[in-house]
Amino acid sequence: MQDQALFEYVLRLADDSLILGQRLGEWCGHGPILEEDIALTNISLDLIGQAISLYDLASELEGAGKNHDQLAYLRFENEYKNVLLVEQPNGDFAMTILRQFFFDAFRLPLYEALMQSPVAQLAAIAAKSVKETRYHLKHTSEWVIRMGDGTDESHERAQAAIDHLWRYTSELFFEDNIDEQLQERQLVPSLKGIQANWMETVKAVLSEATLTIPTNNWKFEGGRQGRHSEHMGYILADLQYMQRAYPNMEW
Amino acid sequence: MSTTQWPLWEVFIRSKQGLNHKHVGSLRAPDATLALENARDVYTRRSEGISIWVVESANIHATDIDDADSFFEPSDTKIYRHPTFYEVPDGVKHM
């Protein structure tokens, strides 16, 4: 392989999108109302579309002749490099929206920065995805504000979701030697700046929603190295079943 | 209808610049902002439009179907109101 670090980096992006897209897809037919059911599955399809482009780039970088399906469906659990946040269960509607909001607030500034990357294909994927992500963040922000500043029950549920998910948010900004190497080569942005941007968005929206940021700093990490929570195996069982039962199937 | 239901909104979409907004359907939403977002997700997923209007259905005043006879029927019998009694001169195109 020509560029192991860049391959790993793109794979991490792709796995975040794929696993979150798969999770959101579970809402299909179960949304709280028809309109939101369609909105959630639209976001899911956007994420899976982004994953396809990223896997195509990753497979090109890997140069092993694998297509995007093989990367998406035929790896083992410890070979997936997504953050733990995206594999957490949907829970109630508040949990799903807050998980999505934390992710969107991270992805938007990341894509904006990646549009400047000298890796042309990565910049092109970022430019295409940034519009989708801007809408996702708008939609989830609107919901966070309405739930937080809504009824007692919606406020309570939104706050419970924040309190539960907060421990998974710091991993979004996890950096190791792969990131450092690529940052030195000026191919990708530092996540420090992205984190400051994320915090600004989160503070602004949560304060308008009358919700509070948890004070505890308990953190979970491991996804970027392939160490996942107990939920990941079940997601992969659903995700990989068809491709393993009918190898090379397409539709 | 239950009062816990979100209000109903009518959705109008302009498919391209210069055309009128056209009624495409309705949906439920708690307020105007989310009604626009829901309309975007429900009605414009396949490049159907470039502009959306939403109007709360309660704000639309409509004719009564029972009055249709007195409202619309009289014009059917007055054919002289239609410009069909003129001879179109030769040389006029696109008529």
Side-chain angles (χ1 to χ4, degrees):
Chain A
M1 192 182 316
Q2 306 265 324
D3 198 333
Q4 177 78 33
L6 190 56
F7 167 72
E8 279 284 332
Y9 185 90
V10 173
L11 202 59
R12 288 171 176 183
L13 289 174
D15 288 345
D16 281 354
S17 299
L18 177 73
I19 301 301
L20 188 54
Q22 175 74 11
R23 266 296 188 222
L24 282 179
E26 291 170 19
W27 274 105
C28 189
H30 300 273
I33 53 159
L34 177 99
E35 290 82 351
E36 195 54 35
D37 192 285
I38 295 173
L40 288 173
T41 40
N42 270 349
I43 296 177
S44 167
L45 285 178
D46 285 347
L47 287 169
I48 291 169
Q50 294 173 15
I52 292 174
S53 307
L54 290 162
Y55 283 130
D56 281 338
L57 174 56
S59 85
E60 204 184 311
L61 290 163
E62 188 183 30
K66 289 184 195 165
N67 64 25
H68 55 238
D69 281 349
Q70 287 166 309
L71 281 174
Y73 297 128
L74 296 178
R75 282 176 296 149
F76 293 110
E77 179 178 326
N78 61 1
E79 294 170 312
Y80 284 82
K81 303 297 168 63
N82 54 281
V83 289
L84 302 179
L85 176 71
V86 298
E87 68 198 44
Q88 297 311 304
N90 286 340
D92 58 13
F93 183 63
M95 191 72 80
T96 294
I97 289 294
L98 262 305
R99 182 186 63 197
Q100 190 66 37
F101 168 69
F102 286 142
F103 183 78
D104 295 337
F106 156 71
R107 260 296 166 87
L108 181 62
L110 180 63
Y111 276 142
E112 282 169 349
L114 283 173
M115 284 166 67
Q116 316 299 326
S117 171
V119 184
Q121 288 141 299
L122 191 53
I125 294 169
K128 180 176 174 290
S129 309
V130 79
K131 290 183 213 156
E132 296 170 350
T133 309
R134 195 168 286 135
Y135 179 76
H136 301 168
L137 179 60
K138 177 172 156 47
H139 189 72
T140 50
S141 302
E142 302 279 8
W143 268 119
V144 171
I145 291 163
R146 278 162 182 74
M147 286 190 290
D149 199 13
T151 64
D152 287 346
E153 185 182 357
S154 70
H155 178 92
E156 209 170 284
R157 284 175 183 253
Q159 188 62 55
I162 293 167
D163 294 347
H164 176 71
L165 293 172
W166 193 252
R167 68 200 66 167
Y168 300 106
T169 53
S170 70
E171 196 193 8
L172 292 168
F173 312 102
F174 173 88
E175 290 182 322
D176 60 10
N177 58 351
I178 289 166
D179 300 86
E180 283 156 22
Q181 199 200 113
L182 296 174
Q183 286 168 24
E184 249 164 59
R185 291 159 58 198
Q186 303 195 327
L187 300 184
V188 303
S190 158
L191 291 183
K192 305 245 169 10
I194 307 292
Q195 185 165 20
N197 194 313
W198 178 85
M199 198 44 135
E200 213 172 287
T201 309
V202 168
K203 275 186 177 159
V205 172
L206 293 196
S207 119
E208 191 175 345
T210 72
L211 294 162
T212 47
I213 292 178
T215 46
N216 82 63
N217 280 323
W218 191 26
K219 288 170 187 169
F220 277 136
E221 286 181 356
R224 292 290 188 227
Q225 273 110 17
R227 296 194 311 278
H228 292 282
S229 59
E230 70 272 26
H231 309 295
M232 187 68 177
Y234 295 96
I235 298 176
L236 294 184
D238 271 352
L239 185 70
Q240 299 192 338
Y241 172 79
M242 293 298 277
Q243 196 57 232
R244 294 209 185 264
Y246 304 95
N248 301 321
M249 74 164 305
E250 282 181 31
W251 61 12
Chain B
M1 199 201 327
S2 152
T3 51
T4 58
Q5 285 264 33
W6 288 340
L8 193 65
W9 301 75
E10 300 300 323
V11 182
F12 301 81
I13 291 178
R14 160 181 283 166
S15 56
K16 55 181 178 189
Q17 211 65 261
L19 294 185
N20 295 327
H21 284 76
K22 226 173 131 186
H23 185 240
V24 294
S26 55
L27 49 76
R28 290 194 182 274
D31 55 47
T33 310
L34 282 174
L36 283 170
E37 290 187 14
N38 288 346
R40 178 261 195 198
D41 280 320
V42 176
Y43 292 108
T44 65
R45 290 189 299 165
R46 298 171 192 87
S47 326
E48 289 93 337
I50 54 157
S51 164
I52 302 177
W53 287 349
V54 289
V55 180
E56 246 190 280
S57 310
N59 290 331
I60 291 184
H61 304 271
T63 53
D64 188 339
I65 188 89
D66 293 335
D67 290 344
D69 275 357
S70 52
F71 236 84
F72 302 112
E73 201 275 336
S75 56
D76 287 349
T77 56
K78 301 180 177 68
I79 50 171
Y80 48 84
R81 288 183 180 169
H82 298 278
T84 51
F85 299 94
Y86 302 95
E87 299 242 336
V88 179
D90 297 341
V92 174
K93 288 173 188 165
H94 311 303
M95 283 286 283

